[in-house]
């Protein structure tokens, strides 16, 4: 009887376990399943609104959409379909492309504002507005509800003003235009108009823009062949930094566009492979008695990080009671080689725990590595909104987020590594970042390249204090000039009650007495230290 009861009990729990297994198999694809449902609803809605479907259900669905959104019923159905298609095909699922919530919210906000504005314009009174909504005209019940609420609260004129401002804010979200960015565009347009008005008043005629800009003259060959004369001036400067900045061409006020850089390459779509690896990790750990669940997948350019949430196991106490106990982290660390064998990827790295998160991180090398472009980091929000002067792009982290740092907060940086590890690429990326984000009035360079290989290509840029130093004998004089300039600035700060370049420029920038940052880049520093310790 006991055996028969045990068999019956095992049969009774077989169905729930199979359903749970099916749900676990489908869990990684829930985003695509929801997207497919939304796409199906959109197609049925559009066909019903166009009268291409028959039956009472299709007519009822079309009437419901018309009453809700009025003349915006078909656009609403299309928007649902677009969003569902994006979810279904995984374009919003990739870990390296986060969900653009700002654009989605902006589109929805602009659509709702359009419905309310339409109903506010065509309705003559409150009774007429309600009748239009019931007939499926204007903005439908959505437009009627919002427009009626605003008109009852603040009146028709102010309601129209609020809707207009909300629409502008929605456009700003869609095109990712901040208030500072809009102010910058307005300032540039104002400067352009003022410059041409002054030119017309002085010359009496309009001169095209291409003739209005003064381009910097090409450096003469003799300046490149005889850098020693320039270095003598560095040892004993003949002009102050203010006089040197005043002599800069007008074009130095404009930053180069990011279009000069190569666009970022499209990351290979490996969402399905990442989900398969996550399932392999869970099954491998479960086979060794370690219940765990992958709750987070972050794909970086070279490795993919899986965030692991450890489960619990049953522990029997001496008195016979069974209590749940969390799995120890060292059990996962001890299974690193088994995970590498199951994933066919080596070496893997286990980070226990992930900093600031209650998760265990497992970093698995990618089969296809992604090229990280400088333009992709410069266009990232973390770089644009980052604080600190002289911000430089460093690359992307393990989870694919852009990494940048402020050179002014270091303020010294030593780049070391084996041959072929990317030192030269890092130096060129740092210099290019500063050139793309700072004008010569804000930052100046002194480049030292004794081997004449890495930095000589930057000769001729307007940010240079002197041609690239390539002679060992001139390096000591150049660095001595930098030291004297540093001491002069310290005395200047002390005399004017300033503690830094930023504080001094904020205090005296209105009078045009701006001090630029000085960035010194030295290649092959170890050789120079041996020759001139």
């Amino acid at each position: 009887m006991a055996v028969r009861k045990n068999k019956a009990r095992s049969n009774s729990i077989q169905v729930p376990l199979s359903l749970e297994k099916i749900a676990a198999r489908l869990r990684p694809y829930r985003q695509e399943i929801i997207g497919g449902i939304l796409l199906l609803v959109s197609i049925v809605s559009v066909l019903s609104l166009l009268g291409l479907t028959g039956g009472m259900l299709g007519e009822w669905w079309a009437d419901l959409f018309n009453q809700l959104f009025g003349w915006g019923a078909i656009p609403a159905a299309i928007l649902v379909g677009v969003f569902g298609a994006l979810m279904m095909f995984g374009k919003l699922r990739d870990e390296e492309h986060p969900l653009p919530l700002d654009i989605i919210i902006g589109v929805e906000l602009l659509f709702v504002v359009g419905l309310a504005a339409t109903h506010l314009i065509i309705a003559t009174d409150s009774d007429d507005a309600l009748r239009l909504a019931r007939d499926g005209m204007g903005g439908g019940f959505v437009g009627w509800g919002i427009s009626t609420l605003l008109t009852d609260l603040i009146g028709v004129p102010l309601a129209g003003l609020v809707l207009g401002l909300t629409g502008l804010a929605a456009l700003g979200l869609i095109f990712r235009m901040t208030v500072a960015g809009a102010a910058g565009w307005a300032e540039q347009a104002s400067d352009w108009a003022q410059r041409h008005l002054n030119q017309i008043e002085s010359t009496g005629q309009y001169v095209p823009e291409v003739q209005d800009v003064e381009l910097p003259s090409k450096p003469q060959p003799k300046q490149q062949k005889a850098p020693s004369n320039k270095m003598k001036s560095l040892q004993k400067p003949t002009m102050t930094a203010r006089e040197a900045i005043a002599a800069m061409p007008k074009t130095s006020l404009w930053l180069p566009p990011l279009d000069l850089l190569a666009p970022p390459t499209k990351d290979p779509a490996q969402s399905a492979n990442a989900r398969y690896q996550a399932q392999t990790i869970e099954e491998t750990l479960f086979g060794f008695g370690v219940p765990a669940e992958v709750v987070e997948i972050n794909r970086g350019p070279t490795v993919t990080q899986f965030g692991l949430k450890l489960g619990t196991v049953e522990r029997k106490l001496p008195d016979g009671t069974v209590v749940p106990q969390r799995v120890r982290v060292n059990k996962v660390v001890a299974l690193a080689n088994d995970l590498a064998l199951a994933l066919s990827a080596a070496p893997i790295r286990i980070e226990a725990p992930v900093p600031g998160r209650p998760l265990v991180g497992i970093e698995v090398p990618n089969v296809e590595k992604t090229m990280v472009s400088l333009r992709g980091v410069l266009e990232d929000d973390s770089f644009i909104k980052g604080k600190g002067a002289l911000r430089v792009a460093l690359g992307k982290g393990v989870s694919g987020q852009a990494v940048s740092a402020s050179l002014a907060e270091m303020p010294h940086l030593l780049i070391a590594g084996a041959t072929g590890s990317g030192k030269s690429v890092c130096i060129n990326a740092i210099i290019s970042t500063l050139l793309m984000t700072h004008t010569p009035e804000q930052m100046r360079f002194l480049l030292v390249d004794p081997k004449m290989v890495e930095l000589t290509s930057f000769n001729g840029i307007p940010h240079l204090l002197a041609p690239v130093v390539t002679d060992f004998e001139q390096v000591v004089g150049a660095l001595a000039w930098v030291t004297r300039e540093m001491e002069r600035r310290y005395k200047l700060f002390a005399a004017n009650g300033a503690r830094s370049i930023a504080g001094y420029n904020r205090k005296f920038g209105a009078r045009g007495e701006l001090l630029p940052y000085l960035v010194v880049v030295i290649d092959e520093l170890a050789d120079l230290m041996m020759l001139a310790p």
Side-chain angles (χ1 to χ4, degrees), residues 52-76:
L52 300 179
T53 60
M56 297 177 57
L57 182 60
E59 294 179 358
W60 172 82
W61 187 254
D63 292 339
L64 177 62
F65 249 74
N66 283 323
Q67 289 184 355
L68 280 178
F69 303 107
W71 293 337
I74 293 180

Side-chain angles (χ1 to χ4, degrees), residues 38-59:
L38 292 178
L39 183 60
L40 179 61
V41 171
S42 172
I43 295 174
V44 173
S45 302
V46 172
L47 294 178
S48 301
L49 291 170
L50 295 178
L52 300 179
T53 60
M56 297 177 57
L57 182 60
E59 294 179 358

Side-chain angles (χ1 to χ4, degrees), residues 308-368:
L308 203 65
K309 182 179 180 181
L310 301 181
T312 58
V313 294
E314 293 183 353
R315 180 187 176 188
K316 190 174 183 180
L317 298 178
D319 58 355
T321 59
V322 178
V323 294
Q325 182 183 17
R326 293 191 62 86
V327 177
R328 295 181 180 180
V329 176
N330 57 2
K331 289 188 176 181
V332 181
V333 177
L335 296 175
N337 295 332
D338 299 281
L339 289 173
L341 179 62
L343 295 170
S344 301
I348 68 170
R349 176 174 175 267
I350 297 180
E351 189 177 21
V354 176
R357 305 291 303 278
L359 302 175
V360 176
I362 299 179
E363 298 175 4
V364 181
N366 294 334
V367 178
E368 297 182 15

Side-chain angles (χ1 to χ4, degrees), residues 270-306:
Q270 294 188 354
S271 299
N273 185 38
R275 290 194 294 268
Y276 173 75
Q277 289 179 327
Q279 184 178 349
T280 303
I281 292 174
E282 293 177 353
E283 293 177 352
T284 302
L285 293 177
F286 185 77
F288 286 96
V290 180
E293 180 184 3
V294 176
V295 296
E296 190 176 273
I297 302 177
N298 298 316
R299 188 180 188 278
T302 58
V303 299
T304 299
Q305 183 188 63
F306 298 89

Side-chain angles (χ1 to χ4, degrees), residues 149-457:
L149 177 63
L150 290 176
T151 52
D152 290 344
L153 290 177
I154 56 178
V156 176
L158 288 180
L161 179 61
V162 169
L163 290 176
L165 294 177
T166 308
L168 291 177
L171 290 175
L173 287 175
I174 295 173
F175 296 102
R176 293 180 174 175
M177 176 67 71
T178 61
V179 177
W185 281 103
E187 184 178 358
Q188 291 183 10
S190 176
D191 293 342
W192 178 85
Q194 186 64 37
R195 187 169 65 251
H196 284 285
L197 287 176
N198 295 336
Q199 190 178 60
I200 293 174
E201 292 177 358
S202 60
T203 61
Q205 59 181 356
Y206 170 74
V207 181
E209 180 70 20
V210 69
Q211 299 180 11
D212 184 56
V213 178
E214 297 181 9
L215 297 175
S217 58
K218 187 176 181 181
Q220 300 296 328
K222 61 181 181 180
Q223 295 178 352
Q224 305 294 335
K225 294 181 180 180
S228 58
N229 296 333
K230 185 68 177 180
M231 297 316 301
K232 290 179 183 179
S233 65
L234 281 174
Q235 297 175 12
K236 187 177 181 181
T238 57
M239 64 172 57
T240 63
R242 179 183 177 186
E243 294 172 348
I245 292 176
M248 294 302 299
K250 293 182 180 179
T251 51
S252 64
L253 296 173
W254 302 94
L255 293 173
L258 293 181
D259 296 340
L260 296 177
L261 302 175
T265 58
K266 187 177 180 181
D267 296 339
Q270 294 188 354
S271 299
N273 185 38
R275 290 194 294 268
Y276 173 75
Q277 289 179 327
Q279 184 178 349
T280 303
I281 292 174
E282 293 177 353
E283 293 177 352
T284 302
L285 293 177
F286 185 77
F288 286 96
V290 180
E293 180 184 3
V294 176
V295 296
E296 190 176 273
I297 302 177
N298 298 316
R299 188 180 188 278
T302 58
V303 299
T304 299
Q305 183 188 63
F306 298 89
L308 203 65
K309 182 179 180 181
L310 301 181
T312 58
V313 294
E314 293 183 353
R315 180 187 176 188
K316 190 174 183 180
L317 298 178
D319 58 355
T321 59
V322 178
V323 294
Q325 182 183 17
R326 293 191 62 86
V327 177
R328 295 181 180 180
V329 176
N330 57 2
K331 289 188 176 181
V332 181
V333 177
L335 296 175
N337 295 332
D338 299 281
L339 289 173
L341 179 62
L343 295 170
S344 301
I348 68 170
R349 176 174 175 267
I350 297 180
E351 189 177 21
V354 176
R357 305 291 303 278
L359 302 175
V360 176
I362 299 179
E363 298 175 4
V364 181
N366 294 334
V367 178
E368 297 182 15
K369 293 179 174 57
T370 305
M371 179 68 68
V372 179
S373 65
L374 179 62
R375 179 175 173 180
V377 180
L378 295 181
E379 292 177 340
D380 193 85
D381 290 339
S382 62
F383 181 86
I384 297 174
K385 300 177 182 178
K387 298 181 180 179
L390 301 180
R391 182 158 293 275
V392 294
L394 300 178
K396 289 187 176 181
V398 174
S399 58
Q401 79 281 4
V403 178
S404 59
S406 173
L407 189 62
E409 295 178 357
M410 296 183 185
H412 308 295
L413 174 64
L414 178 64
I415 302 175
T419 302
S421 59
K423 300 186 298 295
S424 301
V425 175
C426 182
I427 292 176
N428 283 277
I430 290 175
I431 296 176
S432 300
T433 302
L434 295 176
L435 291 177
M436 298 295 292
T437 55
H438 295 79
T439 63
E441 288 83 356
Q442 300 170 334
M443 183 267 307
R444 306 298 294 273
F445 270 123
L446 178 62
L447 305 180
V448 179
D449 185 11
K451 289 190 176 181
M452 298 178 288
V453 176
E454 298 296 339
L455 305 179
T456 53
S457 58

Side-chain angles (χ1 to χ4, degrees), residues 65-72 111-153 159 163:
F65 249 74
N66 283 323
Q67 289 184 355
L68 280 178
F69 303 107
W71 293 337
F111 177 71
V112 172
V113 167
L115 295 180
T118 302
H119 217 83
L120 187 65
I121 293 173
I122 66 172
T124 57
D125 52 25
S126 59
D127 295 335
D128 186 44
L130 182 58
R131 181 186 58 80
L132 291 173
R134 289 175 178 173
D135 294 341
M137 302 176 63
F141 279 107
V142 175
W144 167 78
I146 297 175
S147 60
T148 303
L149 177 63
L150 290 176
T151 52
D152 290 344
L153 290 177
L163 290 176

